Amino acid sequence: MNTWLVCVLLLLGAQSVLAQEVNIYSARKQDLIKPLLDRFSEETGIKVNLVTGKADALIKRLELEGRNSPADLLLTVDVGRLEYADQAGLLQPVDSGLVAAAVPKHYRDPDDHWFGLSLRARVIAYNKARVSAEELSTYEDLAEPKWQGQLCIRSSNNIYNQSLLASLLAHLGAEKAKEWAAGLVANFARPPKGGDRDQIKAVAAGQCQLAVVNSYYLAGMLNSSIPAEREAANKVALFWPNQQGRGAHMNISGAGVTKAAKNKEAAIRLLEFLVSEEAQQWYAEANHEFPMRAGTPVSATLTGWGEYKADELPLVILGAKNAEAVRLMDRVGWN
């Protein structure tokens, strides 16, 4: 092969690499993910096109677009949504030793259709002036009559609560999970409303003594640039439930390569980057979620909450039991 032809082939190969791109449908807000995507592009030369939106709307869009969808990667929160997308036939298997090595089996799909990228713990937040940590123990205990009128929590249409109840269905069985949900409703301090930050603010204001929230919301408020948020968060403490048993309920933000992906190789490279030590550490520091990759340093706030035991229930079960959890919530009047 002559020198001229070799140069042409090398040039064409370089142009092919530079022309690579990956299209993402992301339920994560742009400011929570774009710095990582920009870094990925810098390191690989692969252009990232980002479309953000509500998780359910993005999944519906994928369904409507079918094989013509431009999306290569679906990035979303909560395993319930990832499992819904998978059951709808929107994802495909990924064969990557790097991703498999970084993501424990219970935090990924058994057929490798989706993978956890970060961990989020659903914990108990309590008013430090009115409740002692010694009074707290488990999720199950929150349904006891001693907490009547003292609990704040989001509505039943919130996927985080649906997954928490799905975990109780898996651990306790249908009858006991129903009893727990009914007891929880009886202990509501007010009708469910607002997001997790609103529950934390309600605890700080004394409208309720306890709340069930994702830990990163409290961490975000503790580090907020808004004085009122920091003030409220400092009146509240975090409690890790079920530490003498199965451990605290965990969920994920995660991703899967779409079945319609036109840029599958680039999408897999992005997945591999997102579970790299560099990306995992940035995400833990910036968003106060727990890294998926073992041994990755976390923010000072998360470190201050100490070691904890995590529930290792395979998350695919939460997706499988989501519909049952929603029906149960409706039956017990969890609005």
Side-chain angles (χ1 to χ4, degrees), residues 7-292:
C7 290
V8 169
L9 290 174
L10 288 173
L11 180 60
L12 289 174
Q15 289 176 335
S16 175
V17 170
L18 291 173
Q20 278 191 300
E21 63 179 12
V22 59
N23 301 308
I24 303 177
Y25 282 1
S26 173
R28 308 237 58 173
K29 293 180 180 178
Q30 182 166 308
D31 58 351
L32 294 182
I33 191 66
K34 194 170 188 307
L36 277 180
L37 302 180
D38 290 343
R39 181 63 179 159
F40 170 75
S41 293
E42 290 171 10
E43 292 186 6
T44 64
I46 298 173
K47 180 183 177 183
V48 178
N49 302 309
L50 179 65
V51 173
T52 60
K54 296 290 187 181
D56 294 339
L58 290 174
I59 292 172
K60 185 65 176 177
R61 179 172 173 176
L62 274 172
E63 288 184 289
L64 292 173
E65 291 171 339
R67 68 179 64 184
N68 296 317
S69 177
D72 302 304
L73 195 70
L74 174 66
L75 179 64
T76 189
V77 293
D78 197 281
V79 68
R81 291 189 175 108
L82 287 165
E83 187 61 15
Y84 177 85
D86 188 32
Q87 292 303 312
L90 302 176
L91 305 178
Q92 64 173 293
V94 167
D95 183 11
S96 169
L98 291 175
V99 178
V103 183
K105 286 186 176 180
H106 50 287
Y107 295 140
R108 66 179 195 254
D109 175 62
D111 298 316
D112 292 335
H113 286 196
W114 52 258
F115 301 85
L117 299 178
S118 63
L119 286 169
R120 51 256 308 278
R122 197 140 183 84
V123 297
I124 299 171
Y126 65 96
N127 187 306
K128 293 190 287 188
R130 303 187 181 196
V131 176
S132 166
E134 286 70 32
E135 299 176 73
L136 302 170
S137 58
T138 64
Y139 297 107
E140 290 88 327
D141 181 66
L142 296 177
E144 293 298 317
K146 65 181 179 179
W147 300 117
Q148 185 174 6
Q150 299 187 54
L151 178 70
C152 284
I153 195 167
R154 290 168 80 156
S155 71
S156 60
N157 65 13
N158 174 248
I159 191 72
Y160 307 150
N161 287 335
Q162 293 170 10
S163 289
L164 174 60
L165 182 51
S167 76
L168 286 157
L169 280 164
H171 286 298
L172 305 179
E175 192 56 40
K176 288 187 177 180
K178 181 181 177 182
E179 290 175 8
W180 176 81
L184 203 72
V185 170
N187 289 342
F188 286 175
R190 63 181 188 182
K193 63 178 180 179
D196 279 8
R197 289 186 183 87
D198 297 301
Q199 316 312 315
I200 293 167
K201 291 174 184 177
V203 170
Q207 297 173 20
C208 44
Q209 310 309 318
L210 309 171
V212 178
V213 299
N214 282 358
S215 59
Y216 57 87
Y217 286 109
L218 180 57
M221 290 176 67
L222 288 168
N223 293 277
S224 175
S225 61
I226 303 171
E229 285 200 346
R230 294 197 305 273
E231 182 181 357
N234 277 299
K235 293 179 180 179
V236 174
L238 178 148
F239 182 82
W240 294 106
N242 296 79
Q243 293 302 284
Q244 304 306 312
R246 65 183 178 271
H249 170 67
M250 307 299 292
N251 212 309
I252 57 171
S253 71
V257 175
T258 69
K259 201 164 191 177
K262 313 298 188 298
N263 304 289
K264 181 177 179 180
E265 181 182 344
I268 293 174
R269 287 189 68 183
L270 178 53
L271 270 179
E272 292 173 342
F273 172 78
L274 291 173
V275 297
S276 69
E277 186 171 346
E278 173 190 1
Q280 290 278 295
Q281 185 169 358
W282 181 90
Y283 210 74
E285 289 287 344
N287 300 309
H288 304 290
E289 293 186 49
F290 292 93
M292 184 62 61

